[in-house]
Amino acid sequence: MSTAQETPGGETQPWAEVTPDAARRLLVAAVEAFAERGYHATTTRDIAGRAGMSPAALYIHYKTKEELLHRISRIGHDKALDIVRSAAEGQGTAAERLSDAVRSFVRWHAGQHTTARVVQYELDALGPDARAEIIALRRQVDAEVRGIVEDGVAAGDFDVPDVPGTTLAVLSLCIDVARWFSVDGPRTPDEVGALYADLVLRMVGAKK
C-alpha cells in the first residue's frame, strides 16, 4: 500500500506540502523503503527505483539519504505536535481534551502506520543537529500532553501521583500503535483511537 494513501482514517495526501511532484515521489518511496528495510539497509538506488527515477535524479532534490529522513521526521513530528496542541488548546474539561488528544494521536499512528514507524523509530539514524531538532519537537509534544494532565490534577479530576511518568506512558502507548497496526486487523484507526482514549482516561483515574 502506498504511503500516499495508507489506510482509511488516515490523511489522503500526507505529503501534500512537499513539492515539486518528483521530490514528493522520492519522499514517499523513502518512507516505504525505510519502513520495509530500515534506514541503514536502504540505499539511494532503492529509493530512486521505487520512485521510478534514476539515482542521479534523487540528488537534484535531496543531497543525502539522511536529508530525506530528516524531512520525513520533521513533517511527521510537526503533524504530531499539531494534533496534540489542537486538542490541548480546545474547549472542554481536561478529560475531554485528553481524550481528544489520544484519539487523534492514535488515529494518525494507525492510519499512517507506515509513515509513523519511520517517523518514530528511525530517530537514531539522524545526525546530531537534525536529531536535536526532532527531540525538541518531541519535548513540545510531551509538554502539551503533560499540560492537559496537570490541568486535570489541578481540577481534582485526575488521580496522577507522577505526572511526567504518566505522560511518558500515555505517549508511548499511542506511538506503539504504529508498530503493530495492520489493515487486516479487527479494528479501524478510529476504533483503536476510541479504545485507547478510554484506556488512558482509566489510567489517569478520570472521574466519570
Side-chain angles (χ1 to χ4, degrees), residues 112 135 157 187 202:
Q112 300 296 325
I135 287 175
D157 294 333
R187 291 187 173 92
R202 292 171 185 272

Side-chain angles (χ1 to χ4, degrees), residues 164-181:
T166 299
T167 301
L168 176 61
V170 169
L171 289 172
S172 298
L173 189 69
C174 296
I175 288 168
D176 195 56
V177 170
R179 184 184 57 78
W180 61 259
F181 185 84

Side-chain angles (χ1 to χ4, degrees), residues 119-160:
V119 168
Q120 298 292 1
Y121 295 114
E122 293 288 359
L123 178 63
D124 289 341
L126 292 172
D129 291 344
R131 189 173 186 275
E133 177 186 317
I134 300 305
I135 287 175
L137 288 171
R138 288 190 176 209
R139 286 174 177 159
Q140 291 181 62
V141 170
D142 181 277
E144 294 291 347
V145 175
R146 187 171 66 250
I148 302 174
V149 176
E150 288 172 343
D151 287 347
V153 172
D157 294 333
F158 295 167
D159 181 13
V160 180

Side-chain angles (χ1 to χ4, degrees), residues 5 12 42 66 78 101 142:
Q5 295 179 326
T12 56
T42 298
E66 186 192 338
D78 281 341
D142 181 277

Side-chain angles (χ1 to χ4, degrees), residues 1-6 11-15 24 28 32 112:
M1 175 177 291
S2 170
T3 57
Q5 295 179 326
E6 294 256 5
E11 300 164 281
T12 56
Q13 294 294 333
W15 307 108
R24 180 177 179 277
V28 169
E32 293 170 350
Q112 300 296 325

Side-chain angles (χ1 to χ4, degrees), residues 75-124:
I75 293 172
H77 280 87
D78 281 341
K79 178 63 178 177
L81 181 56
D82 285 346
I83 288 169
V84 296
R85 180 169 286 162
S86 177
E89 295 177 352
Q91 301 297 315
T93 65
E96 290 168 340
R97 288 183 286 129
L98 184 59
S99 178
D100 287 346
V102 170
R103 187 187 302 267
S104 298
F105 203 46
V106 167
R107 186 168 56 231
W108 185 79
H109 280 84
Q112 300 296 325
H113 56 280
T114 303
T115 296
R117 280 201 303 274
V118 176
V119 168
Q120 298 292 1
Y121 295 114
E122 293 288 359
L123 178 63
D124 289 341

